[in-house]
Amino acid sequence: MGRIKKKGTSGAAKNYITRTRAVKKLQISLPDFRRLCIFKGIYPREPRNKKKVSKGSTAATTFYYTKDIQYLLHEPLLNKFREHKTVAKKIGRALGRGEVGDAARLEKTHIPKIKLDHIIKERYPTFVDALRDLDDALSMVFLFANLPSTQHVPSKTIALCQRLSHEFEHYLIVSHSLRKSFLSIKGIYYQATIQGQDILWLVPYRFVQRTGGDIDFRIMGTFVEFYTTLLGFVNFRLYTSIGLVYPPKFNAKSDELGGELGAFQLEGKGISTNGEPATNSDASTVITSAEAQAEADKVANLVDPEEDKEASTAAALVQVDEEGNTETIDTFEATAQDADILPQPQASSAEIASLFAPFTFYLSRETPRAPLEFILKAFGCKRVGWDGILGDGAFTTNESDPAITHQLVDRPSLPNESLPEVPDAPATIDDGAAVPIAQWPRSTMPGRTYIQPQWVWDCINQGKLLRPDLYAPGAELPPHLSPWVKAKKGEYDPNLPLEQQELEGEAEAFEDEEEDAEFFGEETTTNGKDHVMDALVDREPSVEVGEGMDIAGSEDESDEEDEEEDAAAAAEEWDGIESDGESDVSDDEAARKQHQRELEAEATGTVIEPTAPTTRSKNAAIRKKAEKKRREEEEERERQKMMLSNKKRKLIKRIEHGTKKRDVESETLRKKRRKIEKVKAAADAL
């Protein structure tokens, strides 16, 4: 006879361990256990059968893999946690005895310092692995960089996050790795491509942050401690790959004056390509050593195959004439309304990187300086100025500088009568000629383009310079859409006109609905009281008060209403057959009446003058034709579904349910847009 196996010693019960048992096994406190799991990347697991794991119990319990806990037993940080606990006990005893000096000495000299370098190397064996996991790290670091200093968020942590985020932004500016950005309700999304890896992170707006009491900053602080270490490693590797000294020089005085990006000064190692000492201007072309150059060439060759394919396609589509002038890139347009959307060729990354290189921008006081400065410099702009009140580091603080080509404003142009009076500033003299002074919105500078900030984001997302007149101050801006969401066939697209995306007969149906709404609206407003009074007067005397009215809580009437709704739903299912019959009867009746009128006119000798069809009759004919076509397509689909199995039929039913839901949403959006366009047309006509 075989040995009887004891319950809970093998299988799922052995593969999982509860959190309480794990804490006892590691001999640390629960906060230290959570901190250690965050550092090591170990998370709770959900077993398939909780009864087998917890020996028949169904209580809510947190489980971990037993192998993960065994892995934590050999972690060097466990000794650090125990040493910290021992020193904390000594500090507590010293404070209890009133020995404040001894407590301060113990805290300064005996508190163990925790380093996470070995954990970074364990979790990310290659640099590409670290880049793939950089999304959450950047979002958390940028979040803490914009938080106010509180007792839960120390100022040292905020300063560290600000320094690391600015260093990463400087790398994106030098390497031109930024690709797209989007303004959302949560904040500003950025996407960069580094060594073929797409990195997407979120930066909150610089509003006054009000942190609630339900936020566990201890857990978030643990993540920030790990992410700052990771980002420090990544920044060092990125800087050295392009020949820059890390960390860059930091000007504390400029940072106190609000310099931010301008407080960092980049330096290159070795000599430049022309044989002179490297400077900040040619830091991106520095040659450091043979080993570093080989690493840089290796990084440069790591290009996304899709991006390389798009670049080669775009280069092939650029046509060159006999004189050597290049034309614009070809675009592919659909030949039919229901045709698939063809992928359009895009400009190369080198052209997009120098999108704003020829321009000099000036940021008005009401515009967000930090994101605009970062985006403009990341796409080639070398000269960005702003008002001195926004901080240090501007190319120019003079709004009347003639070198400025574009000025970003976020205020509408108001008449001078509505503006408060200010003393006129004296005009500056340059070589005996008075230089005009521009002060928006009182006056503008000739030859300067005034645009709203959204123009910058839309230009980089589309990879080209858009028309600035569409983004003029006070103008209604085009829709700002996410660059990562592509319009699918059948969905509403704000960039396309309604004629290209609406269904057949939809516009005519909307016109008829508007006419009916206007007609019945006027009738009810003018004769509403008369109809009510007529109904009361014409009521029979035998009818008691309240009779014929809906009574709340009547079960019989509710049952009857439910039956009527079911009958109506069943009738809608058979409307394909009945509607065809009704339409045929109505057509035959109309033809019969027309033939009768012709016979009467022939007998009396009169001539029937042809009447011009009205707009409503035309719309009715178009809608009728479109409905007939849709019914035929629906019948054809039903016939095809009859040949399928029950499983595939249910799958198609679920797909059609989602498609109908999407069509209803798109139709609702098109109706809203049609109403807005109608109101605008009426306003323009006035």
Side-chain angles (χ1 to χ4, degrees):
M1 182 177 178
R3 189 174 180 181
I4 300 175
K5 186 180 293 186
K6 189 177 179 181
K7 185 178 181 181
T9 58
S10 63
K14 190 177 180 181
N15 294 335
Y16 293 91
I17 185 174
T18 62
R19 187 179 64 181
T20 305
R21 291 176 55 198
V23 170
K24 289 182 179 179
K25 191 171 187 178
L26 296 175
Q27 297 181 4
I28 56 177
S29 62
L30 181 59
D32 289 341
F33 175 74
R34 290 172 176 167
R35 192 179 180 192
L36 184 62
C37 288
I38 291 174
F39 289 156
K40 300 291 288 186
I42 295 174
Y43 300 97
R45 305 294 178 175
E46 185 70 19
R48 292 184 179 180
N49 195 334
K50 279 191 174 183
K51 285 188 176 182
K52 291 183 178 180
V53 175
S54 57
K55 300 179 181 179
S57 177
T58 57
T61 312
T62 304
F63 293 96
Y64 290 87
Y65 281 144
T66 306
K67 290 186 177 181
D68 291 342
I69 304 304
Q70 292 284 351
Y71 174 63
L72 291 179
L73 285 173
H74 308 283
E75 176 56 41
L77 286 181
L78 285 176
N79 295 328
K80 294 289 184 179
F81 290 156
R82 290 163 184 159
E83 291 176 8
H84 188 280
K85 186 176 181 181
T86 303
V87 176
K89 287 182 179 180
K90 293 181 180 180
I91 294 174
R93 285 196 217 101
L95 291 176
R97 294 193 297 263
E99 300 172 354
V100 181
D102 293 345
R105 178 182 55 83
L106 289 171
E107 185 178 3
K108 184 178 180 180
T109 59
H110 289 72
I111 289 291
K113 295 182 180 179
I114 297 177
K115 293 185 179 180
L116 306 178
D117 302 354
H118 65 285
I119 296 182
I120 299 296
K121 294 177 183 178
E122 287 178 3
R123 293 185 61 177
Y124 309 107
T126 63
F127 185 60
V128 176
D129 295 331
L131 292 177
R132 289 171 181 169
D133 200 25
L134 205 61
D135 297 356
D136 295 337
L138 288 174
S139 299
M140 186 67 75
V141 169
F142 275 93
L143 172 63
F144 269 72
N146 291 276
L147 286 179
S149 177
T150 61
Q151 60 178 355
H152 303 291
V153 185
S155 59
K156 291 184 179 180
T157 303
I158 297 175
L160 177 61
C161 293
Q162 290 176 352
R163 181 177 65 82
L164 291 174
S165 60
H166 290 152
E167 289 174 357
F168 184 74
E169 288 179 348
H170 268 296
Y171 169 78
L172 297 179
I173 292 172
V174 174
S175 61
H176 302 292
S177 302
L178 191 64
R179 292 292 177 263
K180 298 175 183 179
S181 181
F182 175 63
L183 301 169
S184 70
I185 299 177
K186 296 180 180 179
I188 304 176
Y189 285 92
Y190 296 98
Q191 183 185 24
T193 302
I194 302 176
Q195 298 189 12
Q197 302 297 324
D198 292 335
I199 303 171
L200 180 68
W201 72 97
L202 175 66
V203 179
Y205 294 114
R206 294 196 173 182
F207 298 143
V208 178
Q209 303 289 343
R210 296 181 180 178
T211 56
D214 56 343
I215 301 175
D216 193 349
F217 283 99
R218 184 171 54 182
I219 299 297
M220 295 181 66
T222 305
F223 276 102
V224 168
E225 184 179 358
F226 175 76
Y227 286 149
T228 50
T229 308
L230 171 62
L231 190 56
F233 273 91
V234 171
N235 285 347
F236 171 77
R237 182 68 180 272
L238 293 177
Y239 271 62
T240 54
S241 65
I242 58 176
L244 294 178
V245 176
Y246 186 83
K249 285 187 177 181
F250 177 70
N251 190 347
K253 185 177 180 181
S254 177
D255 186 65
E256 291 177 359
L257 297 175
E260 298 185 0
L261 287 176
F264 293 85
Q265 186 178 5
L266 304 184
E267 290 182 343
K269 296 188 295 185
I271 58 174
S272 61
T273 54
N274 55 7
E276 299 179 356
T279 58
N280 297 334
S281 59
D282 54 11
S284 60
T285 59
V286 170
I287 300 177
T288 58
S289 61
E291 183 179 353
Q293 184 61 30
E295 186 69 22
D297 295 338
K298 182 179 178 182
V299 172
N301 293 330
L302 292 175
V303 182
D304 190 4
E306 296 182 358
E307 182 180 354
D308 191 12
K309 183 178 180 181
E310 292 177 358
S312 60
T313 305
L317 291 172
V318 176
Q319 300 177 357
V320 183
D321 57 7
E322 297 178 356
E323 299 179 358
N325 298 326
T326 59
E327 299 179 357
T328 58
I329 299 177
D330 295 340
T331 57
F332 301 112
E333 298 181 357
T335 56
Q337 183 179 2
D338 298 336
D340 296 335
I341 300 176
L342 301 176
Q344 302 297 333
Q346 299 178 356
S348 62
S349 59
E351 296 177 359
I352 299 176
S354 59
L355 192 63
F356 302 129
F359 308 132
T360 301
F361 287 86
Y362 185 85
L363 311 179
S364 298
R365 290 178 296 174
E366 69 278 1
T367 57
R369 173 212 150 184
L372 284 173
E373 179 190 5
F374 167 57
I375 288 180
L376 292 174
K377 290 184 177 180
F379 284 87
C381 183
K382 302 295 182 182
R383 302 172 300 275
V384 182
W386 53 79
D387 196 284
I389 198 174
L390 296 179
D392 189 28
F395 168 74
T396 179
T397 57
N398 183 16
E399 188 178 353
S400 303
D401 192 340
I404 299 173
T405 59
H406 292 71
Q407 182 169 349
L408 298 174
V409 296
D410 205 8
R411 290 178 292 174
S413 56
L414 301 175
N416 293 330
E417 295 80 8
S418 61
L419 298 175
E421 296 182 2
V422 295
D424 297 335
T428 58
I429 306 299
D430 187 11
D431 297 336
V435 178
I437 297 177
Q439 187 179 6
W440 180 266
R442 299 179 183 278
S443 59
T444 58
M445 200 74 173
R448 184 181 300 180
T449 304
Y450 291 84
I451 46 179
Q452 299 188 48
Q454 184 182 327
W455 180 79
V456 177
W457 273 271
D458 290 350
C459 286
I460 66 174
N461 289 336
Q462 298 189 23
K464 61 181 180 180
L465 297 175
L466 303 177
R467 291 172 47 188
D469 58 320
L470 299 177
Y471 300 84
E476 185 176 353
L477 295 173
H480 181 62
L481 306 177
S482 173
W484 301 285
V485 178
K486 302 299 181 183
K488 298 180 180 178
K489 182 180 178 182
E491 292 183 351
Y492 172 72
D493 189 359
N495 292 326
L496 295 178
L498 288 174
E499 293 76 10
Q500 297 183 11
Q501 51 183 329
E502 62 187 359
L503 301 177
E504 185 179 359
E506 185 177 339
E508 290 77 9
F510 174 77
E511 293 179 0
D512 294 344
E513 289 178 3
E514 287 292 316
E515 292 180 1
D516 295 341
E518 292 177 0
F519 175 76
F520 289 110
E522 294 178 358
E523 184 178 359
T524 53
T525 53
T526 55
N527 302 328
K529 295 183 180 180
D530 297 338
H531 291 328
V532 175
M533 294 301 296
D534 293 341
L536 292 175
V537 171
D538 295 340
R539 189 183 63 184
E540 296 182 1
S542 59
V543 180
E544 298 293 336
V545 177
E547 186 176 348
M549 301 172 63
D550 294 336
I551 302 175
S554 177
E555 297 181 357
D556 297 337
E557 293 181 1
S558 61
D559 295 340
E560 292 177 0
E561 290 177 359
D562 295 339
E563 293 177 359
E564 292 176 358
E565 291 177 359
D566 297 339
E572 289 179 358
E573 296 179 358
W574 294 91
D575 61 348
I577 302 175
E578 295 178 359
S579 57
D580 289 341
E582 292 176 359
S583 60
D584 296 340
V585 171
S586 59
D587 292 343
D588 296 341
E589 184 68 18
R592 188 186 64 79
K593 291 183 178 180
Q594 179 65 19
H595 183 64
Q596 182 66 23
R597 284 195 296 269
E598 291 176 357
L599 291 177
E600 293 177 356
E602 184 179 357
T604 56
T606 59
V607 179
I608 300 177
E609 296 181 0
T611 58
T614 61
T615 306
R616 194 176 186 85
S617 60
K618 292 181 180 179
N619 294 344
I622 295 174
R623 285 190 291 108
K624 183 179 178 181
K625 183 179 179 182
E627 291 175 0
K628 185 177 181 181
K629 182 179 179 181
R630 282 194 287 268
R631 283 197 304 269
E632 292 176 354
E633 295 176 353
E634 183 66 24
E635 292 174 359
E636 180 64 25
R637 284 195 296 268
E638 291 295 334
R639 284 193 292 267
Q640 293 176 357
K641 285 192 291 184
M642 291 174 61
M643 307 298 296
L644 300 176
S645 62
N646 190 24
K647 183 177 180 180
K648 293 183 178 180
R649 199 179 300 123
K650 289 182 179 179
L651 178 61
I652 291 178
K653 187 176 181 181
R654 289 196 296 267
I655 296 174
E656 289 180 349
H657 176 73
T659 305
K660 288 180 181 179
K661 186 178 180 180
R662 182 200 63 190
D663 294 342
V664 170
E665 293 177 354
S666 302
E667 185 178 359
T668 304
L669 293 174
R670 287 194 294 267
K671 285 184 178 181
K672 290 182 179 180
R673 180 176 173 181
R674 199 175 286 109
K675 290 180 181 178
I676 293 173
E677 291 182 354
K678 186 177 181 180
V679 173
K680 287 182 181 179
D684 296 338
L686 297 176

